[in-house]
Amino acid sequence: MQLLKQDYGTAILIKVEEPRIDAAVAIQFKEGIRELAEDGPSRVVLEMSSVNFLDSSGLGAVVAAMKQLGADRTLELAGLTPMVEKVFRLTRMDTVYTIHENEGAALDGLVHAS
Amino acid sequence: MKARRSTALSMPRDKPPAMDEPLIRVEVDACAIAVRGVLADIRSQWRVGAVDPDLCRTGELVLAEVLNNVVEHAQAGRMDGVIRLQIAAGPGQLTCLVQDDGCPMPEGKLPAGRMARIGKDIDSLPEGGFGWNMIRTLTRDLEYRRIDNWNHLSFAIDKGFVPQ
């Protein structure tokens, strides 16, 4: 599971460098996010522009990743490809997440700190 | 784990299909990795057949949901489960037949696939139950039959269908 973390002080960016988040990797994905996001700032931005396929298991893992952050932290999404965006829209999960067009829009004004 | 493979995609030999209606027939082992592999094979077949890209994306999503349901439910706990797939790509539509020799659907019918409740409370958000809802939303003529201890699921997917 290729996940790349960047620290921006008040936010962390996690780049998902995987083409597919599906039933075969959903658990590894959830665990990977948990490890990287532990004890960080309140905002966690998941950058998904490399992900061109997400199924219901993958979506469940994204939801689980958000829950495990706890109540005082948020998981935001950025760079959704058309296929991934479609899955969020179909399941109405687009109403739950803050979705940024891209990484730049998500981190507007923040400076890379690591 | 037993070595898993997906049988190579084959075109039927008895009746060569017209170029605009390539027929895919494939048998796949009932496990998540084999499903991933067969979806990649189907994707490249569709690319060769110049199937509409949006139709491909929808088709792949629906097939992934259907196949993973078979792996996780009908064939759960089995190492010898088999799924047979038959997909015809016509102009602007895909018609699919998925057969497996696993357990029947609960009560012999398809899950309702009702939309899980989405509230503002993060802790109560559903982590599952999206699959059948998406299958029902994205398909037409969805039909389930149990014949000689096999599940038969057939459906069609139309190009350009935009759910409300």
Side-chain angles (χ1 to χ4, degrees):
Chain A
M1 178 58 54
Q2 292 288 318
L3 300 169
L4 189 70
K5 176 181 166 179
Q6 291 173 357
D7 196 342
Y8 287 83
T10 56
I12 58 164
L13 180 79
I14 298 177
K15 283 183 185 248
V16 185
E17 301 193 324
E18 290 282 332
R20 303 173 71 86
I21 305 297
D22 59 14
V25 298
I27 293 171
Q28 290 148 266
F29 173 80
K30 180 183 155 185
E31 284 306 302
I33 300 291
R34 191 181 56 76
E35 280 168 32
L36 290 180
E38 229 167 21
D39 302 325
S42 64
R43 288 182 68 209
V44 178
V45 180
L46 210 54
E47 201 282 330
M48 299 184 76
S49 64
S50 298
V51 181
N52 53 43
F53 186 84
L54 179 84
D55 66 8
S56 65
S57 304
L59 178 67
V62 175
V63 175
M66 182 160 180
K67 286 185 185 178
Q68 68 196 3
L69 286 180
D72 51 346
R73 302 174 73 203
T74 59
L75 185 71
E76 302 169 23
L77 307 171
L80 303 191
T81 58
M83 193 276 159
V84 173
E85 197 267 335
K86 181 176 188 158
V87 171
F88 274 88
R89 190 161 31 81
L90 272 173
T91 56
R92 302 196 194 133
M93 295 305 281
D94 59 342
T95 62
V96 173
Y97 289 87
T98 300
I99 300 175
H100 305 278
E101 190 160 339
N102 52 44
E103 159 184 352
L107 300 169
D108 194 24
L110 296 181
V111 180
H112 194 185
S114 69
Chain B
M1 193 199 288
K2 186 185 129 190
R4 293 286 181 168
R5 48 154 183 87
S6 65
T7 316
L9 295 179
S10 65
M11 303 292 269
R13 283 172 202 153
D14 47 342
K15 184 182 156 210
M19 281 308 282
D20 62 342
E21 288 195 8
L23 183 66
I24 294 172
R25 279 181 191 169
V26 62
E27 202 169 282
V28 54
D29 286 337
C31 82
I33 299 295
V35 164
R36 212 181 218 223
V38 85
L39 290 174
D41 291 346
I42 290 169
R43 215 164 45 234
S44 37
Q45 287 274 313
W46 283 342
R47 200 173 304 129
V48 171
V51 177
D52 173 77
D54 188 59
L55 186 58
C56 290
R57 282 195 285 268
T58 308
E60 186 181 358
L61 176 60
V62 171
L63 285 171
E65 298 300 339
V66 167
L67 297 177
N68 284 320
N69 276 330
V70 173
V71 172
E72 289 164 22
H73 300 289
Q75 305 271 20
R78 277 180 57 182
M79 298 300 280
D80 60 345
V82 170
I83 310 172
R84 289 183 191 148
L85 262 179
Q86 201 168 306
I87 309 163
Q93 67 163 28
L94 301 169
T95 49
C96 309
L97 173 64
V98 181
Q99 299 165 298
D100 74 87
D101 62 348
C103 306
M105 289 282 175
E107 298 172 34
K109 56 184 186 191
L110 295 177
R114 279 191 206 92
M115 176 55 78
R117 270 183 57 130
I118 310 290
K120 289 289 164 198
D121 177 26
I122 302 295
D123 277 339
S124 65
L125 286 177
E127 288 177 39
F130 305 115
W132 276 105
N133 183 268
M134 289 200 282
I135 295 168
R136 286 193 176 274
T137 305
L138 295 171
T139 61
R140 163 172 64 74
D141 299 337
L142 182 68
E143 208 172 278
Y144 169 70
R145 286 183 191 162
R146 180 80 177 171
I147 306 167
D148 296 335
N149 294 323
W150 280 70
N151 296 310
H152 295 241
L153 185 71
S154 58
F155 51 89
I157 301 168
D158 294 317
K159 176 186 165 182
F161 169 72
V162 181
Q164 296 304 305

